[in-house]
Amino acid sequence: MPELDELDARILEILFEDGRRSFRKVARLAGVTTPTVQARVKRMIDAGLIRKISPILDASKLEQGIVCLLYLNIHPSEIDKTAEKLGQHQEVKGMYLTTGEDNLVLRIVVDSLNDLQRFSEMLDREFGVKHHTSQMVVRTFKDDQAVLLKPGVGVRLQCETCSGAIAGKPFILKVAGRERYFCCRTCLDKFREKYEVKLKGLSITLQTPESP
């Protein structure tokens, strides 16, 4: 699915409004059948667009926990490695590469100011970040996901074999109802060769970039 169509965008909008809605409710609001909604959601999950379905909590309703934004200045050559390591810390709930001198912004949640101090010391000890600015979030007025939902928005796909970004139309192998995406014929053939035994007896269809 290289881009969202009108139905994909509508289904996502309905789920963003209330993720507790059943497929039947979503189908009624979208004006389509329940199996159609199920198939579209599954397809977006297979493409990696929907990473997971989980509750969104209002942190202000909890008696414990401090939400802070930390602004770090990381050397561009160290950004990816630093982000990967920081992502393993449970305090880190969001991480953003930005423009400007402070080019990496963290959204963290800690229990107390002492824990915030310990996290700051860890940044110095493990990452060499000696100076950074921070802001405490006092109240959240709105916190929607930073995505633009409209028909025609492209979806970045990752190759199942090499994990590289897929430029242009992908090779799509549908195995037992699940779509897998490949950047080229070589990666597709490697996947089929690697899982030849497991693929036997399964329903398989192939869509190539040349397919209508």
Side-chain angles (χ1 to χ4, degrees), residues 20-169:
R20 297 170 297 179
R21 287 170 171 156
S22 65
F23 285 150
R24 181 178 299 178
K25 178 68 172 180
V26 174
R28 184 161 64 250
L29 293 173
V32 295
T33 65
T34 301
T36 296
V37 171
Q38 291 175 316
R40 290 301 184 103
V41 171
K42 186 177 186 305
R43 188 181 181 212
M44 287 186 277
I45 291 175
D46 289 344
L49 179 60
I50 298 178
R51 292 189 300 176
K52 62 181 180 180
I53 299 175
S54 62
I56 299 176
L57 304 180
D58 183 349
S60 66
K61 301 297 184 182
L62 301 175
E63 294 182 352
Q64 289 184 314
I66 299 173
V67 181
C68 296
L69 301 177
L70 273 56
Y71 301 85
L72 314 183
N73 184 343
I74 305 296
H75 192 281
S77 65
E78 298 292 320
I79 284 286
D80 288 342
K81 182 172 66 175
T82 301
E84 182 179 357
K85 290 183 178 179
L86 281 172
Q88 298 172 7
H89 289 265
Q90 63 177 2
E91 298 92 343
V92 179
K93 305 302 181 183
M95 195 164 8
Y96 317 96
L97 177 64
T98 64
T99 59
E101 185 176 356
D102 294 329
N103 53 3
L104 190 64
V105 179
L106 308 182
R107 178 168 54 86
I108 70 169
V109 179
V110 293
D111 284 332
S112 65
L113 292 177
N114 286 335
D115 287 335
L116 176 59
Q117 178 62 31
R118 280 192 286 270
F119 189 86
S120 298
E121 292 171 356
M122 180 276 297
L123 289 176
D124 181 8
R125 184 175 62 254
E126 296 186 17
F127 300 95
V129 178
K130 298 185 180 300
H131 303 286
H132 68 272
T133 58
S134 63
Q135 295 176 332
M136 187 183 301
V137 177
V138 178
R139 184 178 176 188
T140 301
F141 293 100
K142 187 173 183 179
D143 190 20
D144 290 342
Q145 290 197 47
V147 293
L148 180 64
L149 289 177
K150 65 179 183 179
V153 171
V155 177
R156 296 187 182 96
L157 299 176
Q158 188 178 58
C159 178
E160 186 82 21
T161 300
C162 70
S163 300
I166 298 177
K169 292 184 177 181

